[in-house]
Amino acid sequence: MSETSYSEIFNANRSLIDAGSSPVMSSLRDRAYGCHSKYGLPGTKVEEYLHTDLSQWLSADWGMNLGRVALPVNPSEAFRCSVPNLSTQMHFMAGDSYISKEGHTGLPDGVLAGSLLELSRSHADIVSRYLGTLADMEKPGIAALDTMFMQDGFMVYVPRNVQIEKPVQLVSLMPDAVQMLACRRILVVVEQGASLRLLLCDHSSAKKPCMSMQVAECFVADNASLEVYDLEETSATNTRVTECYVSQQRDSRVMIQNLSLHNGKTRNSVHSCFKGPGASIEVNGIAILDGGQHVDNFTFVDHEATDCQSRELFKYVLDGKSTGSFAGKVLVRPDAQRTSSQQTNRNICLTPEARMWTQPQLEIYADDVKCSHGATVGQLDEKALFYMQQRGIPMKEARMLLMLAFLGEVIDRIPLDPLRSRLLGLVELRLRHGQSRCEGCGVCK
């Protein structure tokens, strides 16, 4: 479908979309429609999408659940995530519809966590204050398209000075029997002095092609802390596009981990802006690719305020005829003195057919800064492989151990011990070309 096709679907089904939504959500649609009509969907002529033709990805005749039909997914039967020693507050989405096994229990007073649709009705004053104010619709991308069609999603609101000890986990499942496009929206608000750990887990074993769009808006207030772990374990028929927007105030701390363990075609983007001094962000990612899989990560960190720090580390392992892309831009504005920024991208291509494109960028307009960036694309160290074989380690095992050590630098940055340990196990299984799935999970069988 083309930009015109999505506009026609929107106009023909506007009343149906609004009926399955809320007044807060619907109030954003006219502006989103105007932006989508003006800027459209990005192709490879747009600099941020040089190696990912999003207009082609969205040209398929995807079905959309605008009538809010119940999807054939039972999370209790389909998914039983088991991360040893890690207890989470678990929530579920089927396609772009929120469903929950546990509800809102187990969280401190004042915390809101659950369906964006329901919370935008019951807490319209809070949701209207934030929703749609951070995602950039004034450019080619999915923010405008997602806003046009969003009817549900997930929201977490953490009041001032509330520390959530138990991580909040959102598991998104794509139904196996339905070919569809899911438009999800995520809203995260962490007020002054509060903290939140959020796990976003995308799973799919669908044999039919499916696509998910996910736009997240994250607001982190003064001296607040947010950790986001975005884990993808989908099927080769799955297409996934995400945009994450982060606004940070004074002395706030943010960590984002994008972990692509198995997929079809994926595009992730992170847009962060420092609105107050003394803030910091760490954006890391790994991608393990084989066959014809594709992962594109794009990051943009906007240093508007003084004394802020950003750190980025992305690592890819590419096998078969897979393709990968990383583009990261750090903008240091004239008033952002005493900025510290480091951006690194390291990649291993295991076959001559694998392809990796990398483009780290720095744009600096301040004088007192410490900034660096770098990228490499290479192969496994032949000397290290020879050394390990000389000591009795088979070639296949030696290659796996070197790749695990290579990716381990990113995983080691995860402060949650149980999650870090579990991810090391999943990465090792994936590198051995096993099916990386949680024990007892029916999604990835």
Side-chain angles (χ1 to χ4, degrees):
M1 292 187 290
S2 64
E3 290 93 337
T4 303
S5 299
Y6 284 106
S7 297
E8 291 173 350
I9 292 173
F10 175 77
N11 287 324
N13 295 277
R14 176 65 186 270
S15 59
L16 184 64
I17 296 170
D18 288 345
S21 182
S22 69
V24 172
M25 290 180 169
S26 297
S27 66
L28 302 172
R29 300 194 202 281
D30 288 337
R31 176 171 173 258
Y33 174 78
C35 291
H36 175 72
S37 301
K38 180 178 180 180
Y39 298 102
L41 298 171
T44 54
K45 292 183 179 180
V46 178
E47 185 176 4
E48 293 182 12
Y49 294 85
L50 289 176
H51 306 289
T52 297
D53 190 347
L54 202 58
S55 61
Q56 192 275 331
W57 289 9
L58 282 159
S59 65
D61 188 14
W62 301 108
M64 302 179 74
N65 188 19
L66 302 181
R68 315 318 293 161
V69 176
L71 297 175
V73 173
N74 186 331
S76 300
E77 296 178 358
F79 186 88
R80 294 187 296 277
C81 185
S82 176
V83 180
N85 302 318
L86 180 63
S87 175
T88 65
Q89 166 84 7
M90 192 172 293
H91 301 258
F92 293 92
M93 292 197 72
D96 50 13
S97 300
Y98 177 84
I99 51 178
S100 179
K101 183 176 67 173
E102 297 184 3
H104 300 249
T105 61
L107 291 173
D109 291 341
V111 173
L112 305 175
S115 166
L116 179 60
L117 170 61
E118 296 303 324
L119 290 172
S120 66
R121 291 169 173 170
S122 61
H123 295 79
D125 55 332
I126 296 177
V127 177
S128 61
R129 197 183 314 156
Y130 297 101
L131 185 65
T133 63
L134 192 55
D136 187 1
M137 296 189 288
E138 301 285 342
K139 65 176 185 180
I142 66 166
L145 188 63
D146 183 85
T147 304
M148 286 166 58
F149 290 104
M150 66 175 178
Q151 293 175 287
D152 202 355
F154 184 66
M155 174 181 172
V156 184
Y157 172 82
V158 188
R160 184 171 180 171
N161 296 325
V162 173
Q163 313 295 316
I164 299 182
E165 299 298 329
K166 180 186 290 189
V168 176
Q169 182 176 10
L170 174 66
V171 179
S172 297
L173 308 170
M174 293 298 290
D176 184 53
V178 181
Q179 178 177 325
M180 67 174 294
L181 167 63
C183 301
R184 305 190 197 110
R185 195 58 168 247
I186 295 178
L187 179 61
V188 178
V189 181
V190 188
E191 296 285 16
Q192 181 177 346
S195 67
L196 170 67
R197 287 171 168 166
L198 179 63
L199 279 65
L200 304 175
C201 302
D202 258 26
H203 291 269
S204 171
S205 62
K207 296 179 181 179
K208 293 185 177 181
C210 56
M211 182 173 183
S212 60
M213 289 194 306
Q214 179 174 289
V215 175
E217 296 176 288
C218 304
F219 299 83
V220 190
D222 294 356
N223 199 35
S225 174
L226 173 65
E227 297 174 16
V228 179
Y229 305 96
D230 194 344
L231 173 64
E232 181 181 8
E233 291 182 285
T234 57
S235 66
T237 60
N238 194 81
T239 301
R240 181 176 188 257
V241 184
T242 72
E243 290 184 2
C244 178
Y245 296 87
V246 183
S247 176
Q248 293 185 240
Q249 302 297 331
R250 177 186 295 270
D251 297 322
S252 60
R253 302 166 300 283
V254 171
M255 169 180 279
I256 296 176
Q257 296 266 356
N258 281 329
L259 308 162
S260 300
L261 299 190
H262 197 283
N263 74 311
K265 295 181 290 187
T266 299
R267 157 75 183 201
N268 298 315
S269 62
V270 177
H271 304 258
S272 173
C273 184
F274 295 118
K275 295 294 186 178
S280 66
I281 189 170
E282 185 171 347
V283 186
N284 303 318
I286 63 172
I288 305 173
L289 306 170
D290 55 19
Q293 295 171 333
H294 176 81
V295 170
D296 180 352
N297 279 295
F298 173 82
T299 66
F300 175 60
V301 180
D302 189 349
H303 285 260
E304 283 191 8
T306 61
D307 300 291
C308 293
Q309 175 178 290
S310 62
R311 295 287 183 268
E312 297 180 59
L313 176 61
F314 280 79
K315 290 194 171 187
Y316 288 59
V317 172
L318 303 98
D319 203 350
K321 296 183 179 181
S322 61
T323 55
S325 175
F326 171 80
K329 182 176 181 179
V330 176
L331 172 62
V332 183
R333 298 184 184 271
D335 293 334
Q337 301 296 340
R338 296 176 297 282
T339 285
S340 177
S341 178
Q342 184 180 51
Q343 184 185 90
T344 306
N345 176 225
R346 301 280 185 258
N347 312 283
I348 291 177
C349 291
L350 300 175
T351 66
E353 294 79 19
R355 294 288 183 269
M356 181 69 199
W357 294 272
T358 180
Q359 188 182 12
Q361 304 170 70
L362 288 174
E363 189 172 340
I364 303 172
Y365 298 98
D367 299 323
D368 186 6
V369 301
K370 294 180 180 179
C371 298
S372 66
H373 69 299
T376 60
V377 180
Q379 296 79 41
L380 289 175
D381 189 336
E382 294 294 334
K383 291 182 179 179
L385 284 172
F386 178 77
Y387 178 87
M388 295 170 76
Q389 290 179 87
Q390 287 294 94
R391 278 144 185 82
I393 302 176
M395 168 66 84
K396 187 175 181 180
E397 185 73 8
R399 287 166 60 88
M400 190 283 297
L401 290 173
L402 287 178
M403 289 186 286
L404 185 60
F406 173 74
L407 296 173
E409 183 182 359
V410 177
I411 299 174
D412 286 344
R413 298 189 175 196
I414 296 175
L416 272 172
D417 291 341
L419 180 61
R420 183 173 64 249
S421 177
R422 180 59 171 161
L423 282 171
L424 281 171
L426 290 174
V427 168
E428 179 178 347
L429 182 62
R430 179 71 172 94
L431 293 174
R432 293 183 187 276
H433 298 282
Q435 179 62 59
S436 51
R437 64 181 178 86
C438 295
E439 180 182 358
C441 174
V443 174
C444 301
K445 288 182 179 178

